[in-house]
PDB file of all heavy atoms in Angstrom:
ATOM      1  N   MET A  47     101.054 124.836  52.326  1.00 96.00           N
ATOM      2  CA  MET A  47     101.162 124.093  53.582  1.00 96.00           C
ATOM      3  C   MET A  47      99.821 124.051  54.320  1.00 96.00           C
ATOM      4  O   MET A  47      99.484 123.058  54.959  1.00 96.00           O
ATOM      5  CB  MET A  47     102.245 124.703  54.472  1.00 96.00           C
ATOM      6  CG  MET A  47     103.641 124.642  53.869  1.00 96.00           C
ATOM      7  SD  MET A  47     104.224 122.955  53.535  1.00 96.00           S
ATOM      8  CE  MET A  47     104.926 122.532  55.128  1.00 96.00           C
ATOM      9  N   GLN A  48      99.044 125.131  54.191  1.00 95.00           N
ATOM     10  CA  GLN A  48      97.726 125.142  54.826  1.00 95.00           C
ATOM     11  C   GLN A  48      96.769 124.201  54.081  1.00 95.00           C
ATOM     12  O   GLN A  48      96.014 123.451  54.698  1.00 95.00           O
ATOM     13  CB  GLN A  48      97.159 126.573  54.872  1.00 95.00           C
ATOM     14  CG  GLN A  48      97.773 127.369  56.019  1.00 95.00           C
ATOM     15  CD  GLN A  48      97.742 128.880  55.784  1.00 95.00           C
ATOM     16  OE1 GLN A  48      97.335 129.350  54.730  1.00 95.00           O
ATOM     17  NE2 GLN A  48      98.188 129.632  56.769  1.00 95.00           N
ATOM     18  N   THR A  49      96.834 124.226  52.754  1.00 95.00           N
ATOM     19  CA  THR A  49      95.989 123.337  51.951  1.00 95.00           C
ATOM     20  C   THR A  49      96.271 121.877  52.286  1.00 95.00           C
ATOM     21  O   THR A  49      95.361 121.055  52.382  1.00 95.00           O
ATOM     22  CB  THR A  49      96.243 123.579  50.445  1.00 95.00           C
ATOM     23  OG1 THR A  49      95.996 124.955  50.155  1.00 95.00           O
ATOM     24  CG2 THR A  49      95.352 122.710  49.580  1.00 95.00           C
ATOM     25  N   LEU A  50      97.537 121.560  52.472  1.00 95.00           N
ATOM     26  CA  LEU A  50      97.944 120.182  52.772  1.00 95.00           C
ATOM     27  C   LEU A  50      97.789 119.837  54.252  1.00 95.00           C
ATOM     28  O   LEU A  50      98.068 118.711  54.663  1.00 95.00           O
ATOM     29  CB  LEU A  50      99.415 119.982  52.370  1.00 95.00           C
ATOM     30  CG  LEU A  50      99.733 120.147  50.876  1.00 95.00           C
ATOM     31  CD1 LEU A  50     101.241 120.141  50.652  1.00 95.00           C
ATOM     32  CD2 LEU A  50      99.068 119.056  50.050  1.00 95.00           C
ATOM     33  N   GLU A  51      97.353 120.829  55.056  1.00 93.00           N
ATOM     34  CA  GLU A  51      97.184 120.668  56.501  1.00 93.00           C
ATOM     35  C   GLU A  51      98.493 120.272  57.183  1.00 93.00           C
ATOM     36  O   GLU A  51      98.522 119.465  58.105  1.00 93.00           O
ATOM     37  CB  GLU A  51      96.062 119.664  56.817  1.00 93.00           C
ATOM     38  CG  GLU A  51      94.713 120.149  56.311  1.00 93.00           C
ATOM     39  CD  GLU A  51      93.562 119.206  56.649  1.00 93.00           C
ATOM     40  OE1 GLU A  51      93.805 118.151  57.263  1.00 93.00           O
ATOM     41  OE2 GLU A  51      92.427 119.544  56.294  1.00 93.00           O
ATOM     42  N   LEU A  52      99.592 120.834  56.679  1.00 92.00           N
ATOM     43  CA  LEU A  52     100.907 120.575  57.268  1.00 92.00           C
ATOM     44  C   LEU A  52     101.325 121.698  58.215  1.00 92.00           C
ATOM     45  O   LEU A  52     102.179 121.510  59.065  1.00 92.00           O
ATOM     46  CB  LEU A  52     101.964 120.410  56.167  1.00 92.00           C
ATOM     47  CG  LEU A  52     101.764 119.197  55.263  1.00 92.00           C
ATOM     48  CD1 LEU A  52     102.786 119.202  54.133  1.00 92.00           C
ATOM     49  CD2 LEU A  52     101.862 117.903  56.045  1.00 92.00           C
ATOM     50  N   GLY A  53     100.709 122.875  58.033  1.00 85.00           N
ATOM     51  CA  GLY A  53     100.990 123.980  58.944  1.00 85.00           C
ATOM     52  C   GLY A  53     102.341 124.632  58.735  1.00 85.00           C
ATOM     53  O   GLY A  53     103.214 124.107  58.060  1.00 85.00           O
ATOM     54  N   VAL A  54     102.487 125.806  59.311  1.00 91.00           N
ATOM     55  CA  VAL A  54     103.747 126.555  59.288  1.00 91.00           C
ATOM     56  C   VAL A  54     104.009 126.988  60.727  1.00 91.00           C
ATOM     57  O   VAL A  54     103.131 127.570  61.360  1.00 91.00           O
ATOM     58  CB  VAL A  54     103.634 127.794  58.368  1.00 91.00           C
ATOM     59  CG1 VAL A  54     104.885 128.652  58.462  1.00 91.00           C
ATOM     60  CG2 VAL A  54     103.384 127.384  56.923  1.00 91.00           C
ATOM     61  N   PRO A  55     105.202 126.710  61.267  1.00 94.00           N
ATOM     62  CA  PRO A  55     105.485 127.154  62.646  1.00 94.00           C
ATOM     63  C   PRO A  55     105.284 128.658  62.784  1.00 94.00           C
ATOM     64  O   PRO A  55     105.689 129.423  61.907  1.00 94.00           O
ATOM     65  CB  PRO A  55     106.959 126.767  62.853  1.00 94.00           C
ATOM     66  CG  PRO A  55     107.210 125.664  61.867  1.00 94.00           C
ATOM     67  CD  PRO A  55     106.328 125.967  60.689  1.00 94.00           C
ATOM     68  N   THR A  56     104.691 129.066  63.882  1.00 92.00           N
ATOM     69  CA  THR A  56     104.310 130.477  64.038  1.00 92.00           C
ATOM     70  C   THR A  56     105.492 131.421  63.996  1.00 92.00           C
ATOM     71  O   THR A  56     105.360 132.569  63.574  1.00 92.00           O
ATOM     72  CB  THR A  56     103.549 130.688  65.362  1.00 92.00           C
ATOM     73  OG1 THR A  56     104.314 130.081  66.406  1.00 92.00           O
ATOM     74  CG2 THR A  56     102.180 130.065  65.324  1.00 92.00           C
ATOM     75  N   GLN A  57     106.681 130.946  64.420  1.00 95.00           N
ATOM     76  CA  GLN A  57     107.832 131.863  64.459  1.00 95.00           C
ATOM     77  C   GLN A  57     108.482 132.044  63.094  1.00 95.00           C
ATOM     78  O   GLN A  57     109.385 132.858  62.947  1.00 95.00           O
ATOM     79  CB  GLN A  57     108.861 131.388  65.489  1.00 95.00           C
ATOM     80  CG  GLN A  57     109.700 130.179  65.066  1.00 95.00           C
ATOM     81  CD  GLN A  57     109.023 128.834  65.323  1.00 95.00           C
ATOM     82  OE1 GLN A  57     107.826 128.792  65.573  1.00 95.00           O
ATOM     83  NE2 GLN A  57     109.791 127.756  65.257  1.00 95.00           N
ATOM     84  N   GLN A  58     108.051 131.287  62.086  1.00 97.00           N
ATOM     85  CA  GLN A  58     108.728 131.385  60.792  1.00 97.00           C
ATOM     86  C   GLN A  58     108.144 132.510  59.938  1.00 97.00           C
ATOM     87  O   GLN A  58     106.951 132.812  60.008  1.00 97.00           O
ATOM     88  CB  GLN A  58     108.644 130.045  60.043  1.00 97.00           C
ATOM     89  CG  GLN A  58     109.386 128.949  60.819  1.00 97.00           C
ATOM     90  CD  GLN A  58     110.164 127.998  59.939  1.00 97.00           C
ATOM     91  OE1 GLN A  58     109.603 127.196  59.234  1.00 97.00           O
ATOM     92  NE2 GLN A  58     111.495 128.090  60.012  1.00 97.00           N
ATOM     93  N   THR A  59     109.029 133.126  59.154  1.00 97.00           N
ATOM     94  CA  THR A  59     108.627 134.232  58.283  1.00 97.00           C
ATOM     95  C   THR A  59     109.259 134.027  56.911  1.00 97.00           C
ATOM     96  O   THR A  59     109.999 133.063  56.687  1.00 97.00           O
ATOM     97  CB  THR A  59     109.125 135.585  58.831  1.00 97.00           C
ATOM     98  OG1 THR A  59     110.553 135.636  58.680  1.00 97.00           O
ATOM     99  CG2 THR A  59     108.745 135.776  60.291  1.00 97.00           C
ATOM    100  N   GLU A  60     109.008 134.967  56.027  1.00 97.00           N
ATOM    101  CA  GLU A  60     109.599 134.866  54.679  1.00 97.00           C
ATOM    102  C   GLU A  60     111.122 134.913  54.721  1.00 97.00           C
ATOM    103  O   GLU A  60     111.782 134.498  53.767  1.00 97.00           O
ATOM    104  CB  GLU A  60     109.036 135.948  53.769  1.00 97.00           C
ATOM    105  CG  GLU A  60     109.310 137.350  54.225  1.00 97.00           C
ATOM    106  CD  GLU A  60     108.512 138.364  53.406  1.00 97.00           C
ATOM    107  OE1 GLU A  60     107.391 138.051  52.973  1.00 97.00           O
ATOM    108  OE2 GLU A  60     109.036 139.470  53.218  1.00 97.00           O
ATOM    109  N   LEU A  61     111.708 135.371  55.830  1.00 97.00           N
ATOM    110  CA  LEU A  61     113.172 135.356  55.952  1.00 97.00           C
ATOM    111  C   LEU A  61     113.710 133.928  56.001  1.00 97.00           C
ATOM    112  O   LEU A  61     114.897 133.690  55.763  1.00 97.00           O
ATOM    113  CB  LEU A  61     113.611 136.113  57.206  1.00 97.00           C
ATOM    114  CG  LEU A  61     113.236 137.601  57.254  1.00 97.00           C
ATOM    115  CD1 LEU A  61     113.663 138.223  58.565  1.00 97.00           C
ATOM    116  CD2 LEU A  61     113.851 138.341  56.071  1.00 97.00           C
ATOM    117  N   ASP A  62     112.836 132.963  56.345  1.00 98.00           N
ATOM    118  CA  ASP A  62     113.252 131.559  56.392  1.00 98.00           C
ATOM    119  C   ASP A  62     113.205 130.899  55.010  1.00 98.00           C
ATOM    120  O   ASP A  62     113.565 129.731  54.868  1.00 98.00           O
ATOM    121  CB  ASP A  62     112.354 130.780  57.358  1.00 98.00           C
ATOM    122  CG  ASP A  62     112.535 131.247  58.791  1.00 98.00           C
ATOM    123  OD1 ASP A  62     113.657 131.097  59.309  1.00 98.00           O
ATOM    124  OD2 ASP A  62     111.575 131.780  59.378  1.00 98.00           O
ATOM    125  N   LEU A  63     112.748 131.640  54.009  1.00 98.00           N
ATOM    126  CA  LEU A  63     112.664 131.103  52.652  1.00 98.00           C
ATOM    127  C   LEU A  63     113.371 132.070  51.688  1.00 98.00           C
ATOM    128  O   LEU A  63     112.763 132.639  50.789  1.00 98.00           O
ATOM    129  CB  LEU A  63     111.191 130.918  52.265  1.00 98.00           C
ATOM    130  CG  LEU A  63     110.868 130.042  51.064  1.00 98.00           C
ATOM    131  CD1 LEU A  63     111.285 128.594  51.295  1.00 98.00           C
ATOM    132  CD2 LEU A  63     109.376 130.105  50.745  1.00 98.00           C
ATOM    133  N   PRO A  64     114.688 132.283  51.891  1.00 97.00           N
ATOM    134  CA  PRO A  64     115.399 133.258  51.049  1.00 97.00           C
ATOM    135  C   PRO A  64     115.433 132.831  49.589  1.00 97.00           C
ATOM    136  O   PRO A  64     115.578 131.648  49.287  1.00 97.00           O
ATOM    137  CB  PRO A  64     116.806 133.295  51.657  1.00 97.00           C
ATOM    138  CG  PRO A  64     116.957 132.005  52.381  1.00 97.00           C
ATOM    139  CD  PRO A  64     115.576 131.620  52.846  1.00 97.00           C
ATOM    140  N   GLN A  65     115.303 133.814  48.704  1.00 96.00           N
ATOM    141  CA  GLN A  65     115.261 133.531  47.266  1.00 96.00           C
ATOM    142  C   GLN A  65     116.673 133.492  46.679  1.00 96.00           C
ATOM    143  O   GLN A  65     117.578 134.159  47.175  1.00 96.00           O
ATOM    144  CB  GLN A  65     114.450 134.616  46.561  1.00 96.00           C
ATOM    145  CG  GLN A  65     113.062 134.781  47.156  1.00 96.00           C
ATOM    146  CD  GLN A  65     111.963 134.661  46.130  1.00 96.00           C
ATOM    147  OE1 GLN A  65     112.153 134.924  44.967  1.00 96.00           O
ATOM    148  NE2 GLN A  65     110.804 134.240  46.571  1.00 96.00           N
TER     149      GLN A  65
END
Side-chain angles (χ1 to χ4, degrees):
M47 297 300 274
Q48 280 155 356
T49 303
L50 297 171
E51 297 182 359
L52 295 175
V54 174
T56 50
Q57 75 276 14
Q58 297 219 289
T59 70
E60 61 190 33
L61 299 177
D62 294 297
L63 196 64
Q65 305 234 333

